[in-house]
Amino acid sequence: MFRRNREGQASLEMVLVMPLLFTIILAVTQVGHMVYVQNTIEQASREAVRVAATQNNMDRARQTAAAICQSLGDGRLKVDITHSGNGMPGIGDMVTVTVIYSYGGIANIIRNLWQRSLNIEASSMMRIECERKEEIYH
């Protein structure tokens, strides 16, 4: 008699535990993807500042950052390049590249609930070591 009443117990426990299990799996997946995005953004920032410092070409630095972040998707990437000098950047000026990525995924829920976007940001700084190449040859 007791056995007959317990036949659905395992099914009921599974139904109660599965949403929690799926939520944990989703959270771990999203955290892993955010770490991947952060690493990509940091790499883009480092490479872009290297191009800006060694070639003194800010347009090429933006293109380098965009090329590295191409796998992340279009329209959510912003690359800011600033330098410490007045006017055109020159030897000895510090150049800073900041790469900002508006994260999607589960962050869309955050954006809808709190009216805030989740941005992943990385910044790198380096000293400019050369004159602008186009100015030398023209």
Side-chain angles (χ1 to χ4, degrees), residues 66-129:
I68 292 172
C69 296
Q70 185 177 13
S71 65
L72 300 179
D74 295 331
R76 294 192 246 165
L77 185 72
K78 181 181 176 188
V79 180
D80 290 331
I81 301 176
T82 58
H83 60 89
S84 63
N86 296 330
M88 293 295 290
I91 294 175
D93 291 343
M94 296 299 288
V95 63
T96 303
V97 175
T98 303
V99 180
I100 303 168
Y101 179 75
S102 178
Y103 186 73
I106 198 75
N108 290 330
I109 296 171
I110 295 170
R111 186 178 303 129
N112 292 334
L113 291 177
W114 288 285
Q115 303 299 320
R116 302 175 104 192
S117 61
L118 178 62
N119 292 330
I120 298 177
E121 181 177 332
S123 185
S124 298
M125 180 186 291
M126 194 177 281
R127 183 176 181 267
I128 296 176
E129 297 294 334

Side-chain angles (χ1 to χ4, degrees), residues 29-39 103-104 106-107 118 120:
T29 304
Q30 285 296 308
V31 168
H33 187 256
M34 287 177 75
V35 168
Y36 166 75
V37 169
Q38 179 67 37
N39 286 337
Y103 186 73
I106 198 75
L118 178 62
I120 298 177

Side-chain angles (χ1 to χ4, degrees), residues 2 5 7 19 23 38 40 46 49 103 120:
F2 289 113
N5 291 337
E7 288 179 359
T23 303
Q38 179 67 37
T40 304
R46 285 191 300 265
V49 79
Y103 186 73
I120 298 177

